Structures are given as C-alpha cells and as structure tokens.
Amino acid sequence: MAIAGKIYRALLRFFEKYYGFFFAAGALVLAFYCFRCLDVKYVDSWDEARHGVNAYEMIQNGDYIRHTYNYQVDDWNLKPSISYWAIVLGFRLFGYSVWGLRFFSALAYLLTGVLCALFAKRWSREASLLVLGFFCANERPLSAHLARAGDADSLYLLFFTVAVLAMFLVKKNHKYVYGCGLAFSLAFLTKSWHAGMIMAVGGIYLLGTGELRRFRKKEWAGFLLSVFAPLMLWFGWRFTRDGFFFLKSMIETDLLARTGSSNFEGHQFPFSFYYDTVFGDGGFIYHWQLLICAVGILGGLLWMWKKKAWNREVQEQGGGLLLWFLLPFLAFSAIGTKLIWYCYPCTVPLALGTAWLLGGLMRLPLTGEETTQEVDKAAATGGKKKNFTTVVGITAAAVSVLLVGFYMKNAYFHVIRGAHGAPFLMFIEESADRDSAWAGGKAYIYVPGEDPADIGTWDQNMLFEAEISGDFHCEEGGIEAFLSENGRAVLYVDRLDYEQNMGKLQDVEILHENAGYLLLGK
C-alpha cells in the first residue's frame, strides 16, 4: 500500500502541477463534443426548425423584433428575441446552414462547462477537471434540445448558470449581484418565464445566508437596473409592433396555460416524470451522480456533527447547489406541462456537486499527508491514516474515471457517431441553389411528412430547409396547386408519387433527382 500511495500522490502532484495543460485538453474535448458533426443530424421539426425559420425571415424581412413563419406573423413560440438573434448572427457568420443554426447553442454549452470548471477550481483542481468530464458525459442535453440544437435552451442554460454562480460570489463582493441581475434579464429574454427559477433560487439562497439584508440602497438600485433595463428596452421595441398583444399572449399561454393543471398541448405527465426519464434512469450518468451526492451529503453532515465542526462556507455552497437542483426539479415536476429539457438546468449543480465530492476524496491523500506531518506525532497513527486516505483517494479516482469514461463513450456513440440526416432534407440541400433562376420563387411539395395524411403540406423542418437552401416561398396544395400555378414554381415530389402522376407531370422540367425524390420546375 505504501508504494501504491507514493505512486498515487506523485500522480496527483503531476496533475496539479500541469493543471493548465489538462484543463485546456479537457476544454478541447468538450469543444469536440459540442461541434463535431454538428450539422449532420436532421433538423428537428419543432422548436429548432421554427426558430430557424423565424431567424431566417427576420433577415429577409429586415425586422429583428417580430417573428414570422412562412412570412406570416408567428406567435406560436412566445419567447423574446435573444435566441433568434443568436441564430441570425450564426447565419451571418456561417451562411444559411444547419451549422449556422446551431453554432451559438454549441458555443453556449461549451462556455457553460468552462465557467463551471473554473468555478469548481475553488474546491480542488481535480474537481475542476471532473466538471469538464461530466459535461462531456451529459448525454441528454447533448442529444436533444440543447447543446447541439438551434433553439433557446442552451443560451438559457448559460445565462441561468452565470446568474447562480454570480449569486454564490455575492458574499465575496456585492457587485456580483449586478451580474446576477443582468444574467437573469438575459435568461428571461431567451426563455421567458422559465427564468423565474433563477429569481427563486437566488432569492431563497441570499435570504438564507443573510446576505439579502446587507444590501445598501445603492446596491438595490443597481440590481434592479441590471434586471429591468434590458427588459424594458426589448419590450419598448416589441411594443412598437403590436402593443401589449405579445406580452399578453406570453402571460396567457406561455405562463398560465403551460403551468396550469390542464393537459395543454398534450405534454402532461406524472409528477415523477423527470426522475423516471432522466435522473432515475441508469442509462444516464445522473442516476450515479444523485447517489454520490446523497451519500456525500449524509456523510458530510454526519462528520460535521460528530466533530462539531460546522463549516459555514461548506454549508452555504452545498446548500446552494442543493437548492439549485431541487427547486427547478420540484417546480417543473409540479406544473402541468412537462418536457424533458425543462429539467436540464438541474444537471449543472448535479455535476458540480459530484465533482466537488469526488475531487475532494481524490485529493485526500495529499490533504491527509499534510495533516499527518503537522498534527500526528505518532508514526503508527500517521501510517494508518495514510493507508486509509490512499484507499479512499484511489477508490474515488477509479470511480471518477470509470463513470466519466463510460458515459462519455455512450454520449459519443449515441450523439456524435449516431447523428444522421433525413433523406428528404438532405435532398432539399443538394437540389436547391440560392443563385439559380428558380431561387426565391414559389415551392410546392408532395412528399409524405410526419403525418402521411397531410401530404402536400410542409413540415416545419422541410420548410426551414427549403428557405435556407433555395430561398423558396413555400406553398400548400401539392401537385394540383403546383400545376395550377401561373408563374414560375418548383415541386418536390417523391419518386413513387411522381411515377403515379407522370401523366400530369410529363410537361414539367426535372431540375434534380435521386433514387427517392425529384425536384420539378415549370
């Protein structure tokens, strides 16, 4: 054991000495998980495609505050504008592409992981590196509706995280409350009423620590300004378009209807939904993180009670992480509408708490060595302590490596290697050319979509691809409407339906085709 302890402590010192190198390597691996094959997976037909269309048409309309879908005013997704502006910027930087659609979501997730890892360095360098590993092993947010998807959730998670981390630092310097307020405001302008969770977590935490009562009037004024100035600027701009209509709809639909008990939009599930599908599912890392955190909390409380050593800072930060996890988890479990991505903010404190506990245990042999040298006078007692801390440290390191390695592998194969496109969406990309004579004209479709009975209508992801690939103005009605069109137009049709309707379509030009689909023009 003595030799194993020496080797292990030497490895710990090596990692700590070259922490900067390993941190950079971990950040690069996380960037790989964010950006590798980012544009391969098909565009989801709901929020992602809708956001993409809204952002694309903002550019085409020259209106960056009001949303349209297929060039009609769109109040389906009642969110303020920041996530749309991020996609607009992505299109400006990278062209009209799926990469541009998703770039800032991936970047926001990367920044969230790096910021959390830097914050965790206060506990230990091992914890800091573990956080990066846990963000790579975070399969749910990587696979759907967050890190690699062109919608609002990744930016919201970044602002949520910044707000809470700033809140943890308020005791050190009250000026951090301005950052907390600004991050809350940006989160609201990204994800609407979901940002209320930030106020709930922050308010309870600052009240519980007593810091809220120590704010001076000047600090309260600065905090309120940081919260309301961006909100009022956005609302004033939006008010010029439709007055109070959008805000009224946000309250009635996005807040009251979705949080009420009615089965609004068909997304009502049991209270245990998030535990059953995410945190209690052994197929994801969260199941084990919950177990480690539960054992760590109980063990820590027992140790502090036994030693009568109640560390206030540990209690405050541990309680803050627990509040950060429990409040959104319980609140979103209680409301009527439940969607998987509502609980994603809970994965951040879970990763931080697990890294804090495992990192502390991994480093225990070095801490124990220092304590032994300073306190223990008896060599035999010191030797026993060294053996115990060595066993604990090696065990924690082994658990960390196995846990991170196994679930990183799962995330890589399920999310990155498992990414695949949809044949028809890929055909739209390859067949359309924004510089062709057909670009910018009317486009019809006769391809089965999500509901085969609605053939002749555009699914949201189909319409998104048609707009960014050919700048098409998408029309309903299928083959008959296409043939009745007097002006120049194109028709997307699958090969089976084309062969069945060849008599009608014999006079139209085949612009592009493959084994499954054709693009026709007239």
Side-chain angles (χ1 to χ4, degrees):
M1 182 58 66
I3 296 175
K6 287 182 180 179
I7 294 172
Y8 181 70
R9 284 190 289 274
L11 287 172
L12 282 178
R13 293 190 189 97
F14 177 78
F15 273 96
E16 293 197 349
K17 182 178 180 180
Y18 296 102
Y19 162 78
F21 170 80
F22 288 107
F23 184 91
L28 286 174
V29 173
L30 180 56
F32 174 85
Y33 272 69
C34 291
F35 292 103
R36 174 64 174 165
C37 301
L38 184 64
D39 58 348
V40 171
K41 182 180 178 291
Y42 61 89
V43 175
D44 182 81
S45 195
W46 296 99
D47 285 2
E48 184 177 34
R50 197 84 176 198
H51 268 69
V53 171
N54 291 156
Y56 176 81
E57 293 183 7
M58 278 184 168
I59 298 172
Q60 303 307 309
N61 295 331
D63 185 346
Y64 294 93
I65 193 64
R66 183 166 54 185
H67 320 142
T68 63
Y69 179 80
N70 205 10
Y71 297 97
Q72 301 296 317
V73 174
D74 181 30
D75 294 315
W76 178 78
N77 199 339
L78 295 163
K79 302 293 186 289
S81 304
I82 283 184
S83 60
Y84 304 102
W85 295 339
I87 297 171
V88 166
L89 184 56
F91 287 154
R92 294 295 195 190
L93 292 174
F94 305 106
Y96 298 119
S97 63
V98 177
W99 179 273
L101 170 70
R102 294 171 174 165
F103 175 80
F104 280 99
S105 287
L107 180 62
Y109 184 78
L110 174 61
L111 291 175
T112 305
V114 169
L115 287 173
C116 287
L118 290 172
F119 182 85
K121 188 183 175 184
R122 67 186 51 238
W123 301 321
S124 70
R125 294 182 177 184
E126 290 76 11
S128 177
L129 297 175
L130 272 175
V131 167
L132 292 174
F134 287 145
F135 267 75
C136 292
N138 200 12
E139 185 178 335
R140 270 295 194 181
L142 283 167
S143 63
H145 222 286
L146 194 119
R148 295 165 59 88
D151 45 48
D153 291 86
S154 193
L155 284 169
Y156 165 70
L157 183 71
L158 173 62
F159 297 137
F160 193 127
T161 303
V162 169
V164 180
L165 294 183
M167 176 198 71
F168 284 150
L169 298 172
V170 165
K171 188 173 184 178
K172 180 180 177 181
N173 188 329
H174 279 191
K175 289 182 179 179
Y176 281 106
V177 79
Y178 308 145
C180 185
L182 178 60
F184 162 80
S185 184
L186 295 176
F188 184 90
L189 293 176
T190 301
K191 191 71 175 171
S192 185
W193 307 106
H194 289 251
M197 286 294 105
I198 300 172
M199 278 297 186
V201 172
I204 294 173
Y205 176 82
L206 293 175
L207 187 63
T209 59
E211 209 61 38
L212 200 64
R213 296 188 294 271
R214 299 187 182 98
F215 287 166
R216 294 173 296 174
K217 291 181 179 179
K218 180 181 178 181
E219 291 167 340
W220 272 112
F223 170 71
L224 293 174
L225 181 65
S226 69
V227 170
F228 288 106
L231 296 180
M232 295 308 296
L233 286 172
W234 168 79
F235 176 72
W237 192 3
R238 180 77 209 199
F239 185 83
T240 63
R241 296 298 188 272
D242 49 21
F244 287 101
F245 175 78
F246 190 79
L247 180 62
K248 179 174 178 288
S249 299
M250 284 175 62
I251 295 172
E252 292 177 347
T253 301
D254 215 30
L255 178 62
L256 299 179
R258 289 194 170 105
T259 58
S261 58
S262 62
N263 191 14
F264 184 74
E265 297 180 333
H267 298 305
Q268 189 172 38
F269 297 98
F271 183 86
S272 62
F273 173 74
Y274 293 114
Y275 181 80
D276 294 339
T277 56
V278 181
F279 297 104
D281 190 332
F284 301 112
I285 196 171
Y286 324 109
H287 175 82
W288 300 105
Q289 289 176 330
L290 273 177
L291 180 62
I292 291 167
C293 287
V295 171
I297 291 170
L298 292 175
L301 290 173
L302 181 62
W303 185 88
M304 286 190 286
W305 174 78
K306 185 177 180 181
K307 297 289 184 180
K308 305 298 185 216
W310 300 99
N311 187 310
R312 184 174 177 83
E313 184 179 358
V314 170
Q315 291 178 69
E316 287 180 355
Q317 292 200 15
L321 290 176
L322 187 62
L323 186 65
W324 185 357
F325 173 81
L326 280 179
L327 197 58
F329 175 76
L330 294 175
F332 286 124
S333 294
I335 66 173
T337 298
K338 295 180 179 67
L339 294 165
I340 287 293
W341 43 94
Y342 286 6
C343 73
Y344 285 168
C346 301
T347 64
V348 177
L350 198 57
L352 284 167
T354 310
W356 185 7
L357 291 166
L358 288 177
L361 294 176
M362 287 169 64
R363 201 182 183 280
L364 201 58
L366 292 183
T367 308
E369 183 181 69
E370 295 160 4
T371 305
T372 300
Q373 291 172 353
E374 295 173 6
V375 179
D376 289 324
K377 304 297 183 182
T381 304
K384 290 179 182 178
K385 184 174 290 187
K386 280 187 178 182
N387 288 339
F388 174 74
T389 57
T390 298
V391 170
V392 171
I394 292 175
T395 302
V399 169
S400 300
V401 170
L402 290 174
L403 198 62
V404 171
F406 179 77
Y407 286 102
M408 276 182 66
K409 176 184 71 69
N410 283 0
Y412 175 73
F413 283 102
H414 294 164
V415 176
I416 298 173
R417 289 289 298 273
H420 61 276
F424 179 57
L425 300 184
M426 294 167 66
F427 178 75
I428 295 177
E429 289 182 15
E430 70 184 42
S431 65
D433 183 352
R434 295 180 62 86
D435 296 323
S436 76
W438 302 93
K442 293 182 179 180
Y444 294 84
I445 189 171
Y446 204 75
V447 174
E450 293 182 351
D451 184 355
D454 288 336
I455 190 168
T457 64
W458 293 87
D459 287 348
Q460 293 180 86
N461 55 0
M462 296 174 178
L463 190 144
F464 167 73
E465 290 287 359
E467 285 196 348
I468 67 166
S469 300
D471 191 32
F472 292 128
H473 290 249
C474 299
E475 303 286 344
E476 307 291 313
I479 293 175
E480 298 301 329
F482 167 70
L483 293 173
S484 300
E485 178 64 48
N486 293 322
R488 176 169 288 191
V490 298
L491 170 70
Y492 280 99
V493 61
D494 68 281
R495 185 163 292 278
L496 178 62
D497 285 300
Y498 172 73
E499 292 173 352
Q500 292 177 348
N501 291 275
M502 284 187 66
K504 299 178 182 178
L505 300 171
Q506 60 182 346
D507 295 329
V508 301
E509 180 183 354
I510 297 176
L511 304 178
H512 195 86
E513 63 180 315
N514 65 13
Y517 306 98
L518 299 95
L519 174 63
L520 309 178
K522 65 183 283 285

